[in-house]
Every structure is written in C-alpha cells, then in structure tokens.
C-alpha cells in the first residue's frame, strides 16, 4: 500500500444509493400525483420482455413494484415466438401499439435480447419520445451533441453518485472502464460535458492499472469481478462500481471493495450503490416523458 493509501485507510465514504433513491422517489411521487390530477390518469410505463428468463423477471418485477409505489401505471408486455424471426415481428407489433397508445408514456425493453433478436429491431420501432432508457439513436445523438434527451438510467445513476460524492468534476481526470452503449459511453459523454478529462478503457486497453492510478474519478462497468483493486487507485479517488456479477452465489461488483475502501475517498457498495438509484431515475425519466407528451398534446389542441 502507498503512504497516501495508509492515510486514507479509514476514510472511504460509503456511497449508498438507497437514501438518494428515496429522495428521488418522493419527488417523483409528488409529480405523478400532480400529473394524475391534471390529466385524469396516471403516467404509464410499459416494460416489454422477449422470452422470460428468471433474472429478467426479478428485475422487471422490481420495476413494476417501483411504479406502483409512486402511483405510476406499470404494465408488462410479453413478446412470444418460437424463433427469432417471429419474436422480432412480435416485438415490432408490440412497440408500434405502445407508441400509438396515449396512456403509455414510456417504454423499456428488457436487455439482453434473446439470441438472434436484433437490437436494431427495437431501435427501428421504439418512439424516441417514449424511449426513457435512452437506447434510440436520436437520444444517443442528442447526448453526444450536448443537448437534452433521454440518457440511459444506469449512466445517469452513476453520474448522480459522482455528484453526490462531492468531488469537483470540472477538470478532474476520470477513467471509465467499459464502453457499452448503455453505461460506459453515455457516462463518458456526460462527464465530458461537465468538463472532466475522460479516458475510456475496455477489454483491449493496455496497462489499465496505470490509467486508473491517475484518475480522480473511476467508474467501473465491465462485468468483471475484482477488476479494480485498492492498489490500482489514487488515494482519495471516487470509485463508482456499476458491475453486477454473481460470484459463488453472492452479488458482487467489479471492484474489490475490501482493498479499495482503504484507498478511495468514497466508494459505492454492490449491492446497494448504483443499482437502487437506477430504478428511481428511470421513473423520473418517465415523468419527464409524460409531462412533455402532455404539453405537446396541449399545443396541438390549441392550434
Ligand atoms: P457489456 O458487456 O455490454 O460491456 C462491458 C464492457 O466492459 C465492454 O466495453 C468491455 O470492453 C469492457 N471490459 C470487459 N472486460 C474488461 C477488462 N478485463 N478490462 C477492461 N474492460 C473490460 O456490459 P454493460 O451492459 O455495459 O454492463 C456492465 C456491467 O454493469 C455488468 O456487470 C452489468 O451487469 C452491470 N449493469 C449494472 C446496472 C445497474 O443498474 N447497476 C445496469 C446495467 C448493467
């Protein structure tokens, strides 16, 4: 361990997601109540699932429970089919129906899609105004160009955790490990927009430890347990662990929490860090979509 690491040994702050999620849900519940009063119906979220698998069901049931808790109408839409071709056709039909339904304000499609079902099918069919998890190229493009759109909820949750750690993002050196379209890349754009200097690392990155060691902010979204250890960290760094892995029957992140907490200034635990915030933020995106759709409908009615 380095000298700095020893100094910081007992100081890593644990960044729990639950208290932040509770704050966000309380705000969302108030907005949902106001929307319901004004529109005579609650905002609606549709969760589309292609082929049921056990982990997906647990995740989706949690989302639907979250909807009920804040007064949102949540519905699960099953797409069935014996093969990928039929499933893609069913997915397109389901998404078109949901796009046209004014009581559905947001749509999410459970990932990963079954083998052979192309993401392109979802992208081609989903209405970008209802794409509250930011997978449509319009939303990805708006983020890339620095405009407002829907950002993937997980990337948004990681950014929120960084803000709540109190670290100064402007001018900070940030390392994002993982370059996926749902976590790594959107987060890299969000941090760049806030004036951090961002290095995106991935499976082919050489000398990962050297890059991590220079970073004030480290976000890990690789799906590799134990990828980042305490000795790779700069003392006092803010460490955001997005990874969710099952190891020997336990859920663990991508960071070796035990060694990292002796060196980091603040660190998110897994479970209990980024995860709880993700669902709360997804609901906040839904409310924003519902408010925007209602105001556009008002404008159309007035012309
Ligand atoms: P992905 O598989 O699409 O991408 C993984 C990325 O990590 C890739 O860019 C890959 O190049 C990189 N990578 C893999 N091994 C690496 C290594 N050894 N060194 C450096 N980079 C490496 O995954 P994803 O969908 O972006 O998810 C990443 C992790 O986040 C997973 O563990 C997933 O379960 C988790 N996740 C969490 C939430 C949440 O709410 N907390 C939501 C979505 C995903």
């Amino acid at each position: 361990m380095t000298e700095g690491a020893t100094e910081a040994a007992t100081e890593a702050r644990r960044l729990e997601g639950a208290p932040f999620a509770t704050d966000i849900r309380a705000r969302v519940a108030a907005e949902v109540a106001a929307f319901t009063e004004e529109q005579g119906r609650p905002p609606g979220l549709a969760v589309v699932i292609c082929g049921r698998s056990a982990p997906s069901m647990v995740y989706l049931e949690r989302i639907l429970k979250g909807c009920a808790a804040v007064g949102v109408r949540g519905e699960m839409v099953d797409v069935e089919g014996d093969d990928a071709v039929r499933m893609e056709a069913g997915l397109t039909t389901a998404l078109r129906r949901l796009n046209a339904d004014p009581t559905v304000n947001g749509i999410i499609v459970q990932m990963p899609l079954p083998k052979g079902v192309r993401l392109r099918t979802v992208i081609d069919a989903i209405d970008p105004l209802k794409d509250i998890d930011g997978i449509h190229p319009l939303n990805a493009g708006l983020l890339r160009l620095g405009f407002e759109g829907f950002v993937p909820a997980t990337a948004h949750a990681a950014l929120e955790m960084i803000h709540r750690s109190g670290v100064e993002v402007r001018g900070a050196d940030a390392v994002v490990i993982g370059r996926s379209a749902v976590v790594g890349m959107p987060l890299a754009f969000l941090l760049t927009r806030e004036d951090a200097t961002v290095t995106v690392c991935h499976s082919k990155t050489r000398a990962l430890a050297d890059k991590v060691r220079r970073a004030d902010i480290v976000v890990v979204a690789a799906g590799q347990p134990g990828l980042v250890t305490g000795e790779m960290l700069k003392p006092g760094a803010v460490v955001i662990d997005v990874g969710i892995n099952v190891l020997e029957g336990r859920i663990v992140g991508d960071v070796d929490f035990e060694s990292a907490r002796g060196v980091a200034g603040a660190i998110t635990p897994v479970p209990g860090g980024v995860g709880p915030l993700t669902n709360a933020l997804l609901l906040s995106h839904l409310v924003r979509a519902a408010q925007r759709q209602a105001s556009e409908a008002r404008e159309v009615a007035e012309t």
Side-chain angles (χ1 to χ4, degrees):
M1 232 190 250
T2 63
E3 196 180 311
T6 313
E7 277 164 22
T10 52
E11 288 172 22
R13 204 148 45 86
R14 220 177 134 97
L15 296 169
E16 303 276 354
F20 303 149
T22 303
D23 289 352
I24 292 166
R25 267 196 295 271
R27 202 187 62 222
V28 167
E31 287 172 346
V32 167
F35 179 93
T36 308
E37 167 94 24
E38 197 186 294
Q39 300 293 319
R41 63 159 184 91
L45 172 68
V47 178
V48 180
I49 175 162
C50 277
R52 293 183 171 220
S53 78
S56 294
M57 293 313 294
V58 172
Y59 176 69
L60 296 182
E61 273 156 18
R62 204 172 301 149
I63 291 181
L64 293 177
K65 244 193 193 157
C67 286
V70 296
V72 161
R73 186 182 66 83
E75 76 175 284
M76 179 132 55
V77 177
D78 264 309
V79 173
E80 281 161 13
D82 308 330
D83 55 41
V85 174
R86 283 200 194 95
M87 256 190 204
E88 286 190 350
L91 193 52
T92 304
T93 308
L95 288 172
R96 289 203 178 127
R97 175 179 72 74
L98 295 167
N99 288 345
D101 183 344
T103 69
V104 172
N105 302 107
I107 305 170
I108 55 173
V109 179
Q110 177 58 14
M111 303 287 167
L113 295 165
K115 216 171 164 3
V117 176
R118 291 163 299 177
L119 179 63
R120 186 68 208 237
T121 312
V122 180
I123 286 172
D124 283 344
I126 196 169
D127 179 347
L129 297 176
K130 296 189 177 184
D131 168 39
I132 59 166
D133 208 15
I135 62 168
H136 191 282
L138 177 72
N139 286 314
L142 289 171
L143 171 63
R144 177 69 189 83
L145 297 176
F147 295 111
E148 280 306 307
F150 290 113
V151 172
T154 307
H156 189 179
L159 183 72
E160 197 67 23
M161 277 300 199
I162 293 168
H163 287 160
R164 295 190 185 219
S165 76
V167 69
E168 170 87 50
V169 177
R170 175 180 290 182
D173 287 319
V175 159
V176 176
I177 307 179
R179 57 176 162 184
S180 75
V182 286
V183 196
M185 290 315 292
L187 188 64
F189 292 133
L190 287 166
L191 286 168
T192 304
R193 190 158 90 179
E194 296 193 8
D195 298 326
T197 302
V198 183
T199 305
V200 178
C201 300
H202 48 77
S203 54
K204 306 292 180 296
T205 294
R206 287 192 220 133
L208 181 69
D210 294 347
K211 293 170 177 70
V212 172
R213 203 164 287 123
R214 286 198 291 268
D216 307 300
I217 300 168
V218 180
V219 184
V220 198
Q224 301 289 327
L227 181 63
V228 170
T229 59
E231 61 192 24
M232 293 164 77
L233 296 169
K234 176 173 172 175
V238 168
V239 179
I240 309 295
D241 190 353
V242 182
I244 300 178
N245 311 287
V246 181
L247 194 69
E248 292 162 6
R250 279 188 322 127
I251 301 222
V252 298
D254 289 349
V255 177
D256 175 36
F257 191 83
E258 283 311 311
S259 63
R261 74 174 175 172
V263 187
I267 183 167
T268 60
V270 177
V274 175
L277 209 50
T278 303
N279 288 352
L281 285 169
L282 197 61
L283 290 172
S284 78
H285 294 185
L286 174 74
V287 171
R288 187 149 61 84
Q291 289 166 340
R292 184 169 162 191
Q293 288 158 33
S295 98
E296 281 178 8
R298 244 189 329 266
E299 277 168 27
V300 171
E302 282 165 11
T303 52

